[in-house]
Amino acid sequence: MRNSISVESGKRPRDMKSRSNRSLGVLFALPWIVGFLIFQAYPIIASLYYSFTDYNLFSSPVWIGVDNYRAMLDDERFYKSMLNTLYMTVFGVPLGLSFALITALSLNTKSRLQPFYRSLVYLPTVVPIVAATYLWRWILNAQYGYLNSFLQQLGLPEPLWTLDAAWTKPALLLIGLWTVGGTTIIYLAALREVPQMYYEAAEIDGAGVFSRFWNITWPAISPVTLFQLVIGILGSLQYFAQAYLFAQERLNAASGGPEDSILMYGMYIFHNAFVYLDMGYASALAWILFVVSMIVTAAVMLMASHWVHYEGD
Amino acid sequence: MKVNRRNLTLGSIAAAIAVSNGSRPGFAQDKIALDFPYLWTGPEAEALQAIVDSFNESQDAIEVEGVSNPDMQRMIAQMSSRNGFDISDAFDNNIGTWASTGAIMALDDLVAGAEYDTSDYVPSTLERMKFDDQYFAMPIAVHTALLMTNDALFEADGVAKATTTEELADVIKTLTKVDGDGRITQLGLNQPDFISFAYSFGGRWLDDDLQPSANHAGNIAAMEFWVENVLEPYGVDEIKRFQSGFGEYASPQNPFYTGKVAMVIEGEWQARFIQLYAEDLKWSAGFVPNPAAMPELEGTAFLSASMFFIPSNTSHPEEAFTFMQHLLSPDAMRDFTIALANLPTRTSLLEDPAYADIPGMNYWLDSLKSENLVFNPSTSWEEEYRTEIASTTEEVINLRKSPEEALNELQEKALNLADA
């Protein structure tokens, strides 16, 4: 009976059902597809076009070829902002991951207060970023800040955290450590997934704490580390809010902190777009950031095979 | 059910037509609706809203909807969209960039068309509104920078006020106190804004052709004054440490009110702040002294302004200008500038007794009568130039470069900006 129907219609019912399911799937996904095309794909493609134009938002873009990209070669702030951002990436990401992992390891104990500790570590990440940054500005105040008072009691030098160009980036790194709660929670979950039998076997073999960490824990959580590393790098390359709030002097001012020491690449794009109204140059800067992000991510992924171990490897 | 749906549809269409005609539901149908977002908040916004309300009451052709919106990026986005606003406010340093990009419209035709009388304005305040010899904004309030002195500290040390920059150097030396550990406990003069401070030394940042003059001798002299009389004697790090402990600006902990700083160069809003936060403070204000060899600079005061503008994408420029005239009328300007503790831009208001309610406001009101009011004219590269000046200032106040070296380099960069 089935065969006769399929012969008559020329189509097999399973194909029809499959096609119908596909259409239904596309239909359900349509809101996202339309949203993606309008709100993401179009702006991305438009920004690529604008990067080759002289465009200020208020008049039609004028094609200028690669002039915007060429102008970056002579732009001191382009280099300065890129170096500042790379500093935050090179030092901030490993520092943040290490701190989060150490915190997770110290929390990975059997304790009835475990949920409380986890909440405590995660709490700073839910504090609004503006409020937290202003709070840190006072903690880091050179004259009356808690941190310098503490350093003074220890007889250590008291840096001008927010005023000295040499200390502004370390100050931002310090603030970054305060908000590793999210990374810590992910690490904690990963640590819980490491099979206990490996540790028991290693203990029987006489392996020490460091050896157990290096040979069991680290390989087991390496996929999670890779994920956090990539996310951390991408987030760091887009570093904006804390530095912007640290540097802000007056409404809509293009400030980069003491001697532009915390002028991050994202801030420089913002200054060009919304202070100087040079949307063409800002678009070109954004595309350079995109290319750098892709290269760095690709490099990390390529190197991952040397140190990331998946289950079953 | 069908009827309801139909009514709903017809209602929606009617509302859409009403919106497309420039009026909105809730407004009288025969009135043109103007959108008026403004950057001010709090009591200033309340004062402005009262002026909006008085305008609406007086009108049967225009209805203004004012809303506090202290978000300049949003403002810029709206100015570049099809459905933006009709009139708003900003600071004068935006005029050059916005006018040169076509974001805001020239007002000359509207001024001429309405036969608007500008003779009552302090001339410099109107000049500040120009770009390329056209008015692109109108000033509602201006600010001048004067030297404020904590007279109690002067009396305690028996120090007379400086009349020249040479005397100012001596006063700074006397009123800057350092304890036994080398820590500053009182600063003679807080760091000034060098853009305005330079003018008191005869400096300027643009020449008559609106080309950069960053390495003008007066600019170099102003920065050298600060280096020689403050940074080198007391140390960059120590000054920064002391400054980092300053309390909130708009609070009783402001370092000038608490006696941590003996002199500051500030604008007229300080008169209101002192009234609010340090009523018992004994203080006065006057023009920043000038070099003894340059008596012609006497009465020099740097002027900046808050202004109203009309974006180019408005559909109702004439109506917006009608409302702007109301905002700038003597009564509205008086009420608003008193609420802000800013200076009016009309000469007829400089002697208005209403300002006497703010003790000390007269120092700044009188400054507007000076022949030596100065300002930076608008250029399309003004914001970039300000950024470069700020960077150069950082290099100088950190003693990375001498003022002359830093300003020569700034001049090169500024010339590139002007050529771009």
Side-chain angles (χ1 to χ4, degrees):
Chain A
M1 187 69 179
R2 276 184 184 173
N3 283 343
S4 63
I5 292 170
S6 64
V7 169
E8 281 169 20
S9 63
K11 289 173 187 171
R12 286 186 299 175
R14 189 169 288 179
D15 283 351
M16 285 174 69
K17 193 177 178 188
S18 166
R19 194 169 297 169
S20 171
N21 280 345
R22 245 196 328 267
S23 303
L24 208 59
V26 170
L27 193 68
F28 279 122
L30 208 56
W32 181 86
I33 292 169
V34 171
F36 172 76
L37 290 174
I38 294 172
F39 297 114
Q40 286 182 286
Y42 170 71
I44 289 169
I45 293 164
S47 75
L48 180 62
Y49 167 67
Y50 290 145
S51 75
F52 295 103
T53 66
D54 180 9
Y55 179 48
N56 62 32
L57 279 177
F58 300 100
S59 45
S60 302
V62 178
W63 184 265
I64 55 169
V66 295
D67 281 5
N68 283 327
Y69 292 94
R70 199 178 290 136
M72 287 179 210
L73 299 173
D74 299 321
D75 184 352
E76 282 180 28
R77 282 202 171 75
F78 164 73
Y79 296 111
K80 184 93 182 174
S81 60
M82 184 60 89
L83 286 174
N84 286 339
T85 307
L86 290 177
Y87 178 102
M88 294 304 291
T89 307
V90 169
F91 293 103
V93 175
L95 197 67
L97 288 181
S98 308
F99 190 68
L101 181 55
I102 290 167
T103 311
L105 285 169
S106 58
L107 287 177
N108 190 29
T109 53
K110 286 174 184 167
S111 165
R112 287 168 63 188
L113 292 174
Q114 190 63 245
F116 172 73
Y117 294 140
R118 278 202 299 258
S119 303
L120 201 67
V121 167
Y122 193 72
L123 199 63
T125 58
V126 299
V127 175
I129 203 163
V130 177
T133 306
Y134 280 119
L135 178 73
W136 272 98
R137 276 172 69 148
W138 272 109
I139 292 172
L140 297 170
N141 184 283
Q143 184 92 335
Y144 299 121
Y146 288 121
L147 187 58
N148 273 11
S149 298
F150 180 66
L151 293 173
Q152 190 183 31
Q153 284 174 1
L154 295 177
L156 293 170
E158 301 156 55
L160 302 169
W161 296 100
T162 59
L163 301 168
D164 187 338
W167 285 101
T168 45
K169 283 192 284 288
L172 291 177
L173 290 178
L174 200 63
I175 298 173
L177 293 183
W178 193 59
T179 54
V180 294
T183 314
T184 303
I185 296 298
I186 294 172
Y187 263 137
L188 203 52
L191 289 172
R192 292 286 168 90
E193 292 299 311
V194 182
Q196 282 301 308
M197 61 182 181
Y198 295 156
Y199 292 115
E200 289 162 9
E203 239 177 292
I204 291 167
D205 289 345
V209 174
F210 180 77
S211 178
R212 287 204 300 272
F213 172 78
W214 189 246
N215 293 303
I216 300 171
T217 311
W218 180 249
I221 63 169
S222 59
V224 172
T225 301
L226 175 64
F227 167 76
Q228 308 229 69
L229 179 65
V230 172
I231 294 296
I233 288 172
L234 293 178
S236 189
L237 288 173
Q238 297 170 52
Y239 198 98
F240 184 87
Q242 291 96 330
Y244 182 79
L245 293 167
F246 252 56
Q248 190 68 356
E249 288 171 357
R250 61 183 167 85
L251 196 64
N252 210 37
S255 310
E259 298 177 71
D260 283 340
S261 58
I262 48 174
L263 177 67
M264 298 298 158
Y265 198 82
M267 284 166 66
Y268 192 48
I269 293 175
F270 181 84
H271 291 164
N272 275 284
F274 292 105
V275 181
Y276 309 144
L277 300 183
D278 194 346
M279 204 56 77
Y281 192 57
S283 298
L285 288 168
W287 271 91
I288 292 295
L289 179 63
F290 174 71
V291 171
V292 169
S293 301
M294 292 296 285
I295 291 170
V296 173
T297 308
V300 170
M301 296 304 286
L302 280 174
M303 285 189 286
S305 59
H306 297 292
W307 60 274
V308 177
H309 305 275
Y310 292 96
E311 205 173 344
D313 273 2
Chain B
M1 186 66 185
K2 273 186 178 175
V3 174
N4 287 345
R5 191 175 290 171
R6 195 173 140 196
N7 283 348
L8 194 69
T9 309
L10 289 172
S12 304
I13 293 168
I17 292 168
V19 169
S20 67
N21 279 345
S23 60
R24 285 184 298 275
F27 286 100
Q29 283 188 347
D30 53 349
K31 285 187 178 183
I32 289 176
L34 293 184
D35 275 324
F36 174 44
Y38 44 82
L39 297 172
W40 286 290
T41 57
E44 293 91 349
E46 285 172 22
L48 197 53
Q49 191 56 48
I51 296 167
V52 171
D53 293 343
S54 72
F55 176 78
N56 286 336
E57 282 167 21
S58 71
Q59 275 285 323
D60 51 14
I62 303 168
E63 183 95 19
V64 176
E65 187 182 16
V67 60
S68 176
N69 175 28
D71 182 347
M72 201 166 267
Q73 277 67 50
R74 190 174 166 191
M75 181 187 278
I76 290 168
Q78 282 183 295
M79 285 157 69
S80 65
S81 70
R82 284 190 181 165
N83 295 311
F85 51 86
D86 300 292
I87 177 171
S88 189
D89 72 284
F91 302 108
D92 54 2
N93 54 292
N94 296 115
I95 293 173
T97 307
W98 291 0
S100 64
T101 53
I104 57 178
M105 64 166 53
L107 303 178
D108 293 51
D109 288 346
L110 292 167
V111 169
E115 295 182 352
Y116 185 61
D117 181 12
T118 57
S119 62
D120 189 29
Y121 285 89
V122 176
S124 302
T125 67
L126 270 187
E127 285 299 304
R128 182 65 185 100
M129 300 294 108
K130 282 184 175 176
F131 173 77
D132 209 11
D133 279 335
Q134 286 183 294
Y135 294 116
F136 277 86
M138 294 298 281
I140 176 69
V142 284
H143 328 287
T144 55
L146 296 183
L147 180 70
M148 299 175 69
T149 53
N150 182 325
D151 294 344
L153 297 179
F154 274 68
E155 284 172 19
D157 275 306
V159 184
K161 286 178 191 168
T163 56
T164 64
T165 48
E166 292 80 0
E167 288 178 9
L168 184 63
D170 292 335
V171 173
I172 290 171
K173 192 176 178 183
T174 307
L175 292 176
T176 302
K177 313 282 186 186
V178 180
D179 68 13
D181 297 328
R183 293 269 162 107
I184 296 172
T185 57
Q186 180 180 301
L187 196 59
L189 174 65
N190 200 17
Q191 184 182 304
D193 167 29
F194 287 99
I195 291 180
S196 69
F197 196 50
Y199 281 101
S200 296
F201 289 78
R204 57 193 305 189
W205 298 96
L206 294 168
D207 65 19
D208 291 338
D209 299 321
L210 299 187
Q211 289 300 300
S213 58
N215 54 356
H216 189 284
N219 299 353
I220 295 172
M223 287 193 171
E224 282 178 344
F225 176 89
W226 187 251
V227 170
E228 289 167 10
N229 294 295
V230 179
L231 298 176
E232 287 178 346
Y234 304 106
V236 174
D237 283 356
E238 191 45 43
I239 288 166
K240 280 185 182 177
R241 184 187 310 284
F242 185 66
Q243 288 172 331
S244 74
F246 288 175
E248 280 294 306
Y249 183 80
S251 80
Q253 283 71 48
N254 182 301
F256 182 66
Y257 314 156
T258 57
K260 284 186 169 186
V261 173
M263 292 180 284
V264 289
I265 298 173
E266 292 266 5
E268 68 289 341
W269 55 86
Q270 277 292 348
R272 168 63 58 76
F273 282 7
I274 291 171
Q275 187 183 26
L276 289 173
Y277 305 121
E279 204 176 9
D280 296 331
L281 185 71
K282 200 172 176 188
W283 66 283
S284 55
F287 291 110
V288 178
N290 316 111
M294 297 180 171
E296 71 278 8
L297 295 177
E298 192 180 342
T300 297
F302 183 76
L303 182 142
S304 56
S306 299
M307 47 81 164
F308 288 120
F309 66 89
I310 299 174
S312 298
N313 63 344
T314 179
S315 307
H316 310 292
E318 286 85 9
E319 290 79 4
F321 189 66
T322 300
F323 175 55
M324 189 187 282
Q325 290 174 65
H326 177 81
L327 289 167
L328 298 166
S329 65
D331 288 345
M333 185 181 285
R334 182 200 306 108
D335 293 348
F336 187 55
T337 51
I338 286 175
L340 261 71
N342 281 175
L343 301 173
T345 55
R346 288 179 174 275
T347 50
S348 59
L349 292 175
L350 297 182
E351 300 288 346
D352 195 296
Y355 293 96
D357 291 341
I358 309 172
M361 193 70 172
N362 58 303
Y363 295 121
W364 284 275
L365 287 165
D366 289 345
S367 74
L368 285 182
K369 298 170 190 166
S370 170
E371 299 279 309
N372 274 337
L373 290 178
V374 291
F375 58 88
N376 284 336
S378 295
T379 60
S380 60
W381 39 279
E382 184 171 351
E383 278 298 332
E384 288 93 328
Y385 194 24
R386 286 173 72 102
T387 305
E388 293 295 352
I389 293 171
S391 292
T392 301
T393 302
E394 285 281 343
E395 289 175 338
V396 171
I397 64 171
N398 284 295
L399 299 182
R400 306 251 190 261
K401 289 174 183 165
S402 71
E404 187 171 4
E405 182 189 2
L407 288 170
N408 280 336
E409 287 179 13
L410 173 62
Q411 177 68 3
E412 292 298 317
K413 290 177 188 171
L415 285 170
N416 288 334
L417 290 175
D419 287 343

